[in-house]
Amino acid sequence: MKGLAELARLAQQARTRAHAPYSRFKVGAALRTKTGEIILGCNIENASYGLTMCAERVAVFKAVSEGFREFDAVAVCADSSHLTPPCGPCRQILWEFCGDIAVRMVDLKGRARTTSLSKLLPFPFDSRHL
Ligand code: THU
């Protein structure tokens, strides 16, 4: 099983494949299944702007569409003066499929921080409410 440091390195690699010609803000994500598979994602922007998809959701949707359902960690890599956490919509999507997983944020300078999805998304709306 690859650890969080390796997951972060893979998120950094995934970031190089970002399609971000409009914001120029490249993001990579690496999602780990409970059995150790790793699914990567990068942000994919669109000339319409609004159709842009974040790296985290690309990774989740790739994983789910490939049949993976149980996850325990995600790493997110961006190049910014502040570590980049998943945006609000990504937190909601991550919660739906991953629950309270570890979230590791890293940048290109080697700064890193690990938190949990429940800290980023307290009191979430989910299937229990339906
Ligand atoms: N973005 C992500 O891919 N993940 C995040 O967690 C934050 C934002 C992308 C969306 C857009 O392509 C660019 O970063 C600027 O917002």
Side-chain angles (χ1 to χ4, degrees):
M1 170 86 72
K2 290 187 167 77
L4 286 182
E6 176 67 1
L7 199 64
R9 197 187 63 76
L10 291 169
Q12 184 173 338
Q13 269 182 17
R15 178 183 171 277
T16 65
R17 294 196 280 274
H19 175 71
Y22 308 109
S23 73
R24 304 203 179 279
F25 190 72
K26 296 182 173 189
V27 185
L31 183 62
R32 188 176 70 191
T33 70
K34 286 185 179 169
T35 47
E37 294 91 350
I38 292 176
I39 297 91
L40 304 179
C42 59
N43 54 330
I44 302 175
E45 298 186 345
N46 187 272
S48 71
Y49 288 25
L51 292 178
T52 288
M53 187 58 64
C54 292
E56 297 91 324
R57 271 177 286 167
V58 169
V60 170
F61 294 153
K62 276 176 66 182
V64 171
S65 69
E66 295 296 329
F68 298 109
R69 281 291 175 143
E70 296 203 303
F71 308 99
D72 70 357
V74 66
V76 182
C77 178
D79 183 21
S80 140
S81 52
H82 295 87
L83 287 171
T84 299
C87 74
C90 286
R91 295 178 196 197
Q92 182 71 29
I93 296 293
L94 284 163
W95 184 262
E96 176 83 16
F97 293 103
C98 312
D100 190 16
I101 59 169
V103 180
R104 178 134 182 114
M105 297 160 280
V106 296
D107 67 16
L108 301 185
K109 297 184 184 76
R111 288 178 292 217
R113 180 178 162 191
T114 304
T115 184
S116 64
L117 193 57
S118 63
K119 287 212 173 80
L120 295 173
L121 189 68
F123 198 35
F125 175 77
D126 60 30
S127 60
R128 293 173 297 186
H129 300 98
L130 299 175

